[in-house]
Amino acid sequence: MDFGLTEEEKDIRGAAREFAEKEFPDRARECDLNDEFPRDIWKKACDLGFVAPYVPEEYNGAGIGYMGTCIIVEECTRFDPGIGGIPMMIALGSEVVMLYGTEEEKEKYLSKIPTGENICCFAVTEPDAGSDVAGIKTTAVKDGDEWVLNGSKMFITNGTIADWGIFLAITDPDEKKVHRRFSTFIVDMDKAGVNATKIRGKMGLKASDTADISLSDVRVPEENLLGERRRGFYNVMGFFDRSRVYIGAMGVGIAQGALDLALKYAKERKTFGKPLASNQGIQFELADMKTRVEASRNLVYKGAWATDNGIATPMDVAIAKWYACESAVKNCDQSLQIHGGYGYIDEYDIERFYRAAKVTEIFEGAKQIEKMIIARGLLA
Amino acid sequence: MDVIVCVKKVPDTAEADVSVGAGGREINKERLTFAINEWDNYAVEEAIRLKEEDEGTVTVVTVGGKDKEDILRRSLAMGADKAIRLDMEDPEDSFVLANVLYTLIKDQKFDLVLFGAQSGDFNSGVTGVMVARMLGISHAAMVNGIEVLDGRTKTSRELEGGLNEIYEIKLPALFTIQTGINEPRYVSISGIRKARKKELKVMTPADVGVTEVKPMLSLEKMYLPPPGKIAEIIGGSPEEAAAKLASLLKEKGAF
Ligand SMILES: Cc1cc2nc3c(=O)[nH]c(=O)nc-3n(C[C@H](O)[C@H](O)[C@H](O)COP(=O)(O)OP(=O)(O)OC[C@H]3O[C@@H](n4cnc5c(N)ncnc54)[C@H](O)[C@@H]3O)c2cc1C
Ligand SMILES: Cc1cc2nc3c(=O)[nH]c(=O)nc-3n(C[C@H](O)[C@H](O)[C@H](O)COP(=O)(O)OP(=O)(O)OC[C@H]3O[C@@H](n4cnc5c(N)ncnc54)[C@H](O)[C@@H]3O)c2cc1C
């Protein structure tokens, strides 16, 4: 057993940290305040190989697997959860092409994500179906050599900035087995009938775009059915089994960032004539936070390592995602508390971290869903 | 153009709580993080730019143990071609170090040797200049611009008060580089990947033929400056305070 990172992984960590530390802090607050996606930073991240780094080199990715991806995500979200999401949030759904797409689809779509030629989105959730993926209502009906899609998607990351998206729709409503009623499609976002509306008023993570998307009589060629017909639900689960690893890394990054902020503040701030950090009550809080970071990091690394080695179970990944993201929320809460009244004001970064953290317990499978998966693994 | 760049790994003391160790001759290093000296990073970037404009190679050199290799790999990832680590303890005395580096560099092929203008830890700013003297080549310190001409360079140096001095210097030469001469690139993943295939040579003092020389300085004592009492609280109405502050700043030469 070896708990150390390889030399290459350490170098990747150093490179990502330097980039995030220099590029994000000056922009983080402004992007959050204005719901602004920082295109320039995204482009730079692409040039450095930080975007969708799990994509194999033959499709222009860095080919460093989920372990490498997690290291980058962790370092980036440590400096800002919103901008720090760029390495993977901008590529949500690209895995579906990577895992189930044809050679042509990989060339045409996947290979443009790491280079920054394209942004994609992953559209599963609907107004009436989030956790219950099989409850979606969007339909795709065959008409000659085209599919015609109708429905509406909700909370779709990159909805207004994506060039293409992966959409889950019902193709076989009469299929007896519910999970075999769905297929996944690649839809170019400039197609007639695709309408994306930016969602404003998000609590946090505002540097990341989120949108509602309506599909009305959107026609896509037959070959845009991605992977096998009737396998759509399984494709989506295959995606989640991977994306949850790096969302877990986002949890680790936020938890670590919250600890960094707490440490700095507790050393500087004086109450009752001495630094906050000299109170055992505060020290114990810092110790709680550190322990959560370490536990989360190890769970996430295990999940990433198992994924890269093809031996991950949905349970491994669900454990990592749930625990790391809950740690992010708890650490932000404790860190903000240590900041006292200042933590409640947006001049202090912890305020932004606190608002951002919560969503990690909701998207890519809410924590109750992770627990359902863990329990299923236990009871199966 | 073949360029050699000497780099050093230094503690990041900008934000850290620095304390002096029990012996009084060293700062406590356990809790500090280390990285390439900031000035050296500009020197590496400059060397790579010179190579990219013209042809040639960039070799980065450091003196120290294996834990110093990450700054060499980092420089290789930025685009340097070759790295050498001289496996011995960093002497930390500028003269001794200059002698070591001179011994190593004199047998290498080079047109230009670059150093950082100073290092973030000891700030003495003399190592490069001493190496130039030992090599018997021209040098310029605090360089903030290099233009390569035929067998010469047009080199600008930073003086006080925003003034620049421009020299034409015959190659081979040695320059110590000032921050701000360029904007160092970030390390990319493909760079990290390529770096792994580049040569990182480890040499011993015996390989290079390092001879022992005596340090010219000895460190007596290190201490944190005692907190001063020179802070002045400016009172009065906002108008009065502003006027007082402005005249103070003027008096101290800020304008
Ligand atoms: C910022 C943001 C970005 C997003 N990006 C995307 C995206 O790119 N693509 C996409 O498809 N979706 C995206 N989503 C949607 C997200 O995946 C869903 O919000 C999430 O799956 C939860 O679904 P829901 O909101 O419908 O909640 P619901 O499914 O209605 O669940 C509500 C609550 O009840 C719990 N719950 C549900 N069922 C059970 C049960 N059986 N037992 C116990 N508890 C249960 C849930 O855990 C949750 O806490 C995004 C959401 C946000 C906020
Ligand atoms: C929206 C808002 C409205 C407010 N309105 C008012 C108002 O109307 N009037 C007013 O006077 N004030 C007001 N306040 C200020 C508020 O009462 C203070 O923020 C609060 O008392 C905490 O003080 P502080 O922010 O200086 O935090 P600090 O005193 O610096 O404390 C920081 C953290 O350290 C903890 N801590 C401090 N000392 C110790 C110790 N010895 N051991 C362990 N832990 C310790 C604190 O519990 C806190 O978690 C307001 C604040 C906000 C955010």
Side-chain angles (χ1 to χ4, degrees), chain A residues 7-8 11 18 22-23 48 62-64 72, chain B residues 15 17 73-74 186-189 192-193 196:
Chain A
E7 216 164 60
E8 182 174 298
D11 290 346
E18 203 179 306
K22 289 214 181 109
E23 295 286 327
L48 296 169
I64 54 173
I72 293 172
Chain B
E15 298 247 330
D17 304 320
R73 288 201 307 273
R74 185 186 183 287
Y186 291 115
V187 171
S188 71
I189 299 197
I192 291 171
R193 281 276 162 95
R196 302 199 69 76

Side-chain angles (χ1 to χ4, degrees), chain B residues 149-174:
Chain B
L149 310 169
D150 190 22
R152 290 163 303 138
T153 64
K154 205 163 166 186
T155 299
S156 76
R157 299 184 56 223
E158 186 180 295
L159 304 180
E160 287 292 314
L163 287 178
N164 281 331
E165 224 177 34
I166 297 185
Y167 287 96
E168 263 194 37
I169 297 179
K170 205 164 115 262
L171 294 172
L174 184 150

Side-chain angles (χ1 to χ4, degrees), chain B residues 160-161 244-255:
Chain B
E160 287 292 314
K244 182 88 198 292
L245 178 63
S247 77
L248 262 175
L249 288 171
K250 209 162 162 185
E251 196 179 299
K252 307 268 181 211
F255 304 129

Side-chain angles (χ1 to χ4, degrees), chain A residues 8 12 49 53-55 61-69 72 308, chain B residues 189 193:
Chain A
E8 182 174 298
I12 290 171
Y54 47 80
V55 172
I64 54 173
Y66 285 90
M67 189 66 205
T69 302
I72 293 172
D308 287 338
Chain B
I189 299 197
R193 281 276 162 95

Side-chain angles (χ1 to χ4, degrees), chain B residues 191-208:
Chain B
I192 291 171
R193 281 276 162 95
K194 283 187 200 133
R196 302 199 69 76
K197 297 186 190 108
K198 294 178 183 173
E199 185 186 13
L200 195 164
K201 193 163 161 185
V202 180
M203 299 176 86
T204 63
D207 293 339
V208 187

Side-chain angles (χ1 to χ4, degrees), chain A residues 265 269 271-272 276 279 282 337-342 344:
Chain A
Y265 193 81
R269 175 74 171 173
T271 62
F272 303 99
L276 272 185
N279 296 297
I282 298 287
Q337 188 67 29
I338 288 173
H339 282 72
Y342 295 98
Y344 199 69

Side-chain angles (χ1 to χ4, degrees), chain B residues 85-115:
Chain B
R85 175 171 69 83
L86 190 56
D87 188 25
M88 60 183 279
E89 205 176 315
D90 182 345
E92 290 197 345
D93 174 85
S94 304
F95 176 65
V96 178
L97 178 66
N99 183 59
V100 167
L101 286 169
Y102 153 72
T103 315
L104 186 141
I105 292 170
K106 73 174 171 20
D107 297 328
Q108 310 285 326
K109 192 165 144 284
F110 66 86
D111 303 296
L112 192 61
V113 181
L114 300 183
F115 277 74

